[in-house]
Amino acid sequence: MSQQQQQQQQHFKTLIIGTGISGIVSSIELKKRLGFHPSDFLIVDKSTTRSFGGTWKENTYPGAACDVLAHVYSLSEAPNPSWSEKWPPQPEILAYLEGVAQKFRLHDSARFGTEVVECRWMGSPDHRWSVTLRDVVSGEVYAVTAVTIVAGVGQLSRPFTPDILGLDTFAGPVVHSANWDHSIDFANKKVAVVGTGPSAIQFVPEVLKSPGVRMTVFQRSPGYVVNKGNFKYPAFVIWLFRYVPFARALYRAYHINTIDLFSYAFNKKYPFAGKIATFIFTKYMESQVKDPKLRKALIPTFELGCKRSLFSDDWLACMQQENVTLVTDKIARITPSSLVARSPDGRESLFDADILLLGTGFKTTEFLDPIEFYGVNGTRLKDVWASKGGPEAYKGVCVAGFPNLFLLFGPNSNLGHHSVILMIEHAMSLTTRLMSFVFPLSKSARPIPYVNVTDSAQDSYNREIQALLAKSTFSSPTCTNWYRIGDKVVNNWPKSVNQYRKTVNDLAIDDFEQFGDEPKRTYRKQQLSAFVENFGRVAIVTAAVVAAARFLRVSRP
């Protein structure tokens, strides 16, 4: 979008925040389901790199890859028959996402290098959002308006740096996995790694390939390691997936449904499922780690699902290399050239380091931060969520008192076992249905100004979700994780993906205050009118086809 277009076009039907997977999914749906033109919506992203990809554009550390099968980690509207591996690397995933964006011409609606500062709801008679934007290069601040907002900022977008005494005094490079410095030469260096989560288990094996490197890994707690069994797809399989779409669709459907069964392993209602999965993963780890002391340090004792499982073919082997030291004591402080660990009995050990790598994850519970949202009567979203003990939303999508705001990958929509793309697509399905009341396709249906879920519906939904989460291993006291604020699980969904699909498809009109300023029954009539209209069209077309068929049969010599 040119500078002149930016100046001329300041009001939109929809503002989409983020050019990651949520931004791509929502943009495609608006165009395909609601008939949006490129000028009807604006996609903004703070990144100055003019490409789509979100977290896959930001996370470029060596070894970065998805921990979900590629054919499952794909958009339903844009299947990719040409995945090279079962678990492809970051460059291939990024290329796929950018290819999807180009295929659907999403760049025509995108504005990069643009940060969202504030979103403020304008009440009657405007019924729209006033959005303050900042150009990250020039610093210019300006405003646009939008009837609706789709927030696709994700849960894994803001790196978390641990508060360790002396971290700012370390003399060598300090690199977070989300801000990787590719200019660093690890050869013959002493490398310290803080964290053993999903990112660390991917970059550690790659860093260890550098000649002469010595590594100290600081582990707060272990994780269950699942063997990926990665392999490259044979050429004939790629050919089959490309030219026989049904084969690819069947392969994808099989994995979607079988993987979804793992959700039962995290549900204490089905303890047998969790015990079986725990037994399998533990036996695998025991078979890979021979040293009893190291085995004790690497194999968890907490419930499966309490922390995110780790998918790797080489992590356990790396931890047994002679040039690797695993430290399970807590880091007490950092000096300019070392890290000091303190054991439970107070003994301190010093570990020299030239380079410090942080695999410490993200600020996962700070949804939508640092953007400020102000809803009805100027209510601040952060204050609302703080009063509830943490973020929450109706079906992960709508927040009471914040009309026409739709969250993708919102509170309680993350998974511990499956592809979040599926969750994002289901959430967008609900979003599209709700937005269809504001932007109806039927000419007989009068558009409404806004959609706002009731407080009672949101509270009732979240009471149910939290009750289910209390019976899941996500809330287990046997470990710490990034899913919770206190005792409240704010990130994860407690059931299967299929059950989330059913939840969002069950749209109850009574869960919303009013569709605009008129009673709900008005819009039930509009729905009925639209149904009758569509039925009439189908009937006319059917009658025409039948008449034509009869005419051809009669006129046949």
Side-chain angles (χ1 to χ4, degrees), residues 61-64 186 201-210 314 318:
Y61 59 84
F186 294 100
I201 69 162
Q202 292 182 341
F203 70 69
V204 162
E206 296 301 314
V207 172
L208 284 172
K209 293 178 181 178
S210 301
D314 46 16
C318 287

Side-chain angles (χ1 to χ4, degrees), residues 351-390:
F351 300 90
D352 293 331
D354 303 312
I355 301 169
L356 178 55
L357 304 179
L358 302 178
T360 50
F362 299 86
K363 299 176 181 179
T364 57
T365 60
E366 298 177 4
F367 287 82
L368 303 178
D369 211 48
I371 306 171
E372 292 283 3
F373 285 83
Y374 296 91
V376 176
N377 298 323
T379 304
R380 185 171 178 252
L381 181 56
K382 289 181 181 178
D383 294 338
V384 171
W385 279 346
S387 69
K388 295 179 178 294

Side-chain angles (χ1 to χ4, degrees), residues 358-492:
L358 302 178
T360 50
F362 299 86
K363 299 176 181 179
T364 57
T365 60
E366 298 177 4
F367 287 82
L368 303 178
D369 211 48
I371 306 171
E372 292 283 3
F373 285 83
Y374 296 91
V376 176
N377 298 323
T379 304
R380 185 171 178 252
L381 181 56
K382 289 181 181 178
D383 294 338
V384 171
W385 279 346
S387 69
K388 295 179 178 294
E392 61 180 49
Y394 173 79
K395 302 188 179 182
V397 175
C398 303
V399 182
F402 293 81
N404 288 1
L405 172 63
F406 306 100
L407 313 181
L408 299 186
F409 200 20
N412 297 119
S413 63
N414 183 54
L415 297 168
H417 71 291
H418 218 322
S419 170
V420 296
I421 291 182
L422 302 175
M423 299 292 281
I424 291 170
E425 290 183 333
H426 294 323
M428 189 58 203
S429 175
L430 173 60
T431 298
T432 305
R433 290 179 66 191
L434 292 172
M435 288 177 65
S436 69
F437 289 100
V438 182
F439 310 113
L441 288 173
S442 173
K443 294 181 180 180
S444 64
R446 183 162 56 85
I448 62 175
Y450 63 87
V451 175
N452 189 22
V453 68
T454 66
D455 284 300
S456 59
Q458 179 176 310
D459 290 343
S460 175
Y461 171 80
N462 279 279
R463 280 195 300 270
E464 178 185 348
I465 292 301
Q466 289 302 318
L468 291 170
L469 285 165
K471 299 175 183 178
S472 75
T473 57
F474 302 139
S475 61
S476 173
T478 58
C479 82
T480 58
N481 58 43
W482 51 264
Y483 311 144
R484 301 191 297 249
I485 295 179
D487 294 329
K488 182 177 182 179
V489 178
V490 298
N491 293 87
N492 283 15

Side-chain angles (χ1 to χ4, degrees), residues 131-143:
V131 183
T132 303
L133 303 175
R134 178 188 294 121
D135 186 304
V136 300
V137 176
S138 68
E140 176 191 2
V141 176
Y142 59 99

Side-chain angles (χ1 to χ4, degrees), residues 9-216:
Q9 183 76 9
Q10 295 299 327
H11 175 69
F12 303 90
K13 288 183 176 180
T14 300
L15 176 81
I16 299 173
I17 307 174
T19 58
I21 291 171
S22 293
I24 295 172
V25 169
S26 56
S27 300
I28 294 173
E29 287 295 295
L30 292 180
K31 296 181 80 169
K32 295 194 69 171
R33 311 298 177 205
L34 296 181
F36 275 32
H37 297 288
S39 60
D40 289 335
F41 65 103
L42 175 66
I43 317 166
V44 296
D45 196 294
K46 62 185 177 183
S47 171
T48 55
T49 305
R50 299 185 58 80
S51 63
F52 284 72
T55 188
W56 294 108
K57 182 169 66 174
E58 303 298 330
N59 289 267
T60 63
Y61 59 84
C66 188
D67 56 7
V68 177
L69 275 67
H71 282 279
V72 176
Y73 198 79
S74 306
L75 276 65
S76 299
E77 293 286 351
N80 178 19
S82 302
W83 289 116
S84 65
E85 303 178 37
K86 189 177 182 182
W87 314 75
Q90 173 266 341
E92 188 173 352
I93 298 172
L94 180 60
Y96 161 71
L97 294 174
E98 174 59 21
V100 172
Q102 292 183 8
K103 175 184 177 181
F104 289 94
R105 303 194 58 164
L106 302 187
H107 284 270
D108 295 346
S109 304
R111 192 179 296 182
F112 294 94
T114 303
E115 181 182 25
V116 180
V117 179
E118 177 186 288
C119 302
R120 189 176 291 271
W121 175 251
M122 303 164 65
S124 182
D126 298 300
H127 297 126
R128 62 182 61 176
W129 287 92
S130 175
V131 183
T132 303
L133 303 175
R134 178 188 294 121
D135 186 304
V136 300
V137 176
S138 68
E140 176 191 2
V141 176
Y142 59 99
V144 300
T145 58
V147 179
T148 60
I149 293 178
V150 176
V153 298
Q155 299 181 18
L156 307 176
S157 59
R158 301 179 64 233
F160 170 73
T161 300
D163 184 16
I164 303 175
L165 180 65
L167 176 61
D168 58 341
T169 68
F170 189 76
V174 179
V175 181
H176 192 284
S177 61
N179 299 306
W180 198 264
D181 184 351
H182 291 273
S183 67
I184 296 177
D185 182 7
F186 294 100
N188 303 308
K189 295 295 194 302
K190 290 173 286 188
V191 179
V193 177
V194 178
T196 55
S199 298
I201 69 162
Q202 292 182 341
F203 70 69
V204 162
E206 296 301 314
V207 172
L208 284 172
K209 293 178 181 178
S210 301
V213 67
R214 286 171 290 168
M215 181 178 290
T216 305

